[in-house]
Coordinates of all heavy atoms in Angstrom, one line a residue:
Chain B
D718 N 15.0 33.1 24.6 CA 15.2 33.9 25.8 C 14.6 33.2 27.0 O 13.9 32.2 26.8 CB 14.6 35.3 25.5 CG 15.5 36.4 26.2 OD1 16.1 36.1 27.2 OD2 15.6 37.5 25.6
T719 N 14.7 33.9 28.1 CA 14.0 33.3 29.3 C 12.5 33.4 29.1 O 12.0 34.3 28.4 CB 14.4 34.2 30.5 OG1 14.0 35.5 30.3 CG2 15.9 34.1 30.8
P720 N 11.8 32.6 29.9 CA 10.3 32.7 29.8 C 9.8 34.1 30.0 O 8.9 34.5 29.3 CB 9.8 31.7 30.8 CG 10.9 30.7 31.0 CD 12.2 31.5 30.8
G721 N 10.3 34.7 31.0 CA 9.9 36.1 31.3 C 10.1 37.0 30.2 O 9.1 37.7 29.8
A722 N 11.2 37.0 29.6 CA 11.6 37.9 28.5 C 10.7 37.6 27.3 O 10.2 38.5 26.6 CB 13.0 37.8 28.1
I723 N 10.5 36.3 27.1 CA 9.6 36.0 25.9 C 8.2 36.5 26.1 O 7.6 37.0 25.1 CB 9.7 34.5 25.7 CG1 11.0 34.1 25.1 CG2 8.5 34.0 24.8 CD1 11.1 32.8 24.4
Y724 N 7.8 36.4 27.3 CA 6.4 36.9 27.6 C 6.3 38.4 27.6 O 5.4 39.0 27.0 CB 5.9 36.3 28.9 CG 4.4 36.5 29.1 CD1 3.5 35.6 28.5 CD2 3.9 37.5 29.8 CE1 2.2 35.7 28.7 CE2 2.5 37.7 30.0 CZ 1.7 36.7 29.4 OH 0.3 36.9 29.6
D725 N 7.3 39.0 28.2 CA 7.2 40.5 28.4 C 7.7 41.2 27.2 O 7.2 42.4 26.9 CB 8.0 40.9 29.6 CG 7.4 40.3 30.9 OD1 6.2 40.0 30.9 OD2 8.1 40.1 31.9
R726 N 8.7 40.7 26.5 CA 9.2 41.4 25.3 C 9.3 40.5 24.1 O 10.5 40.2 23.7 CB 10.6 42.0 25.7 CG 10.5 43.1 26.8 CD 12.0 43.6 27.1 NE 12.8 43.9 26.0 CZ 12.7 45.0 25.3 NH1 11.8 46.0 25.7 NH2 13.5 45.3 24.3
P727 N 8.2 40.1 23.6 CA 8.3 39.2 22.4 C 9.1 39.9 21.3 O 8.9 41.1 21.0 CB 6.9 38.9 22.0 CG 6.0 39.9 22.8 CD 6.8 40.4 24.0
A728 N 9.9 39.1 20.6 CA 10.9 39.8 19.7 C 10.2 40.0 18.3 O 10.7 40.8 17.6 CB 12.1 38.8 19.4
N729 N 9.1 39.4 18.1 CA 8.4 39.7 16.8 C 6.9 39.3 17.0 O 6.5 38.8 18.0 CB 9.0 39.0 15.7 CG 9.3 37.5 16.0 OD1 8.4 36.9 16.5 ND2 10.5 37.0 15.8
R730 N 6.2 39.6 15.9 CA 4.8 39.4 15.9 C 4.4 37.9 16.1 O 3.4 37.6 16.8 CB 4.2 39.9 14.6 CG 3.0 40.8 14.8 CD 2.7 41.6 13.6 NE 2.6 40.8 12.4 CZ 3.0 41.2 11.2 NH1 3.4 42.4 11.0 NH2 2.9 40.4 10.1
F731 N 5.2 37.0 15.5 CA 4.9 35.6 15.7 C 5.0 35.2 17.1 O 4.0 34.6 17.6 CB 5.9 34.8 14.8 CG 5.7 33.3 15.1 CD1 4.6 32.7 14.4 CD2 6.4 32.6 16.0 CE1 4.4 31.3 14.7 CE2 6.1 31.3 16.3 CZ 5.1 30.6 15.6
V732 N 6.0 35.6 17.8 CA 6.2 35.2 19.2 C 5.1 35.8 20.0 O 4.4 35.2 20.9 CB 7.6 35.5 19.7 CG1 7.7 35.2 21.2 CG2 8.6 34.8 19.0
A733 N 4.8 37.1 19.7 CA 3.8 37.8 20.4 C 2.4 37.1 20.4 O 1.7 36.9 21.4 CB 3.6 39.2 19.9
G734 N 2.1 36.6 19.2 CA 0.8 36.0 19.0 C 0.8 34.5 19.5 O -0.2 34.0 19.8
F735 N 2.0 33.9 19.5 CA 2.1 32.5 19.8 C 2.1 32.2 21.3 O 1.5 31.2 21.8 CB 3.3 31.9 19.1 CG 3.4 30.4 19.2 CD1 2.5 29.6 18.5 CD2 4.3 29.8 20.0 CE1 2.5 28.2 18.6 CE2 4.3 28.4 20.1 CZ 3.5 27.6 19.4
I736 N 2.7 33.1 22.0 CA 2.9 32.9 23.5 C 1.7 33.6 24.2 O 1.5 34.8 24.0 CB 4.2 33.4 24.0 CG1 5.4 32.7 23.2 CG2 4.4 33.3 25.5 CD1 5.7 31.4 23.6
G737 N 1.1 32.9 25.1 CA 0.1 33.5 25.9 C -1.3 33.1 25.5 O -1.6 33.0 24.3
T738 N -2.2 32.8 26.5 CA -3.6 32.5 26.2 C -4.4 33.3 27.1 O -4.2 33.2 28.3 CB -3.9 31.0 26.3 OG1 -3.0 30.5 27.4 CG2 -3.7 30.2 25.1
P739 N -5.5 33.9 26.7 CA -5.7 34.1 25.3 C -4.6 34.9 24.6 O -3.8 35.6 25.3 CB -7.0 35.0 25.3 CG -7.5 35.0 26.7 CD -6.4 34.6 27.6
A740 N -4.5 34.8 23.3 CA -3.4 35.4 22.6 C -3.4 36.9 22.7 O -4.4 37.5 22.9 CB -3.4 35.0 21.1
M741 N -2.2 37.5 22.5 CA -2.1 38.9 22.5 C -2.9 39.5 21.4 O -3.0 38.9 20.3 CB -0.6 39.3 22.3 CG -0.3 40.7 22.4 SD 1.4 41.1 21.9 CE 2.3 40.8 23.4
N742 N -3.5 40.6 21.6 CA -4.3 41.3 20.6 C -3.3 42.0 19.7 O -2.3 42.6 20.1 CB -5.1 42.4 21.2 CG -6.2 41.8 22.1 OD1 -7.1 41.1 21.6 ND2 -6.1 42.1 23.4
L743 N -3.4 41.9 18.4 CA -2.6 42.5 17.4 C -3.4 43.4 16.5 O -4.3 42.9 15.8 CB -1.8 41.4 16.6 CG -0.8 40.6 17.4 CD1 -0.3 39.4 16.6 CD2 0.4 41.5 17.8
I744 N -3.2 44.7 16.6 CA -4.0 45.6 15.9 C -3.2 46.4 14.9 O -2.2 47.0 15.2 CB -4.7 46.6 16.9 CG1 -5.5 45.8 17.9 CG2 -5.6 47.6 16.2 CD1 -5.7 46.5 19.2
E745 N -3.7 46.4 13.6 CA -2.9 47.1 12.6 C -3.3 48.6 12.6 O -4.4 49.0 12.9 CB -3.3 46.5 11.2 CG -2.7 45.1 11.0 CD -3.1 44.5 9.7 OE1 -3.5 45.2 8.8 OE2 -3.0 43.2 9.6
G746 N -2.3 49.4 12.3 CA -2.5 50.8 12.2 C -1.2 51.5 11.8 O -0.4 50.9 11.1
R747 N -1.0 52.7 12.3 CA 0.3 53.4 11.9 C 0.7 54.3 13.1 O 0.0 54.7 13.9 CB 0.2 54.1 10.6 CG -0.9 55.1 10.5 CD -1.0 55.7 9.0 NE 0.3 56.3 8.6 CZ 1.1 55.8 7.6 NH1 0.7 54.8 6.9 NH2 2.2 56.4 7.3

Side-chain angles (χ1 to χ4, degrees):
Chain B
D718 217 328
T719 60
I723 286 199
Y724 193 81
D725 295 336
R726 290 177 51 78
N729 49 47
R730 229 165 47 211
F731 175 81
V732 177
F735 189 69
I736 303 283
T738 31
M741 183 188 277
N742 296 297
L743 293 169
I744 302 158
E745 288 176 21
R747 55 186 303 118

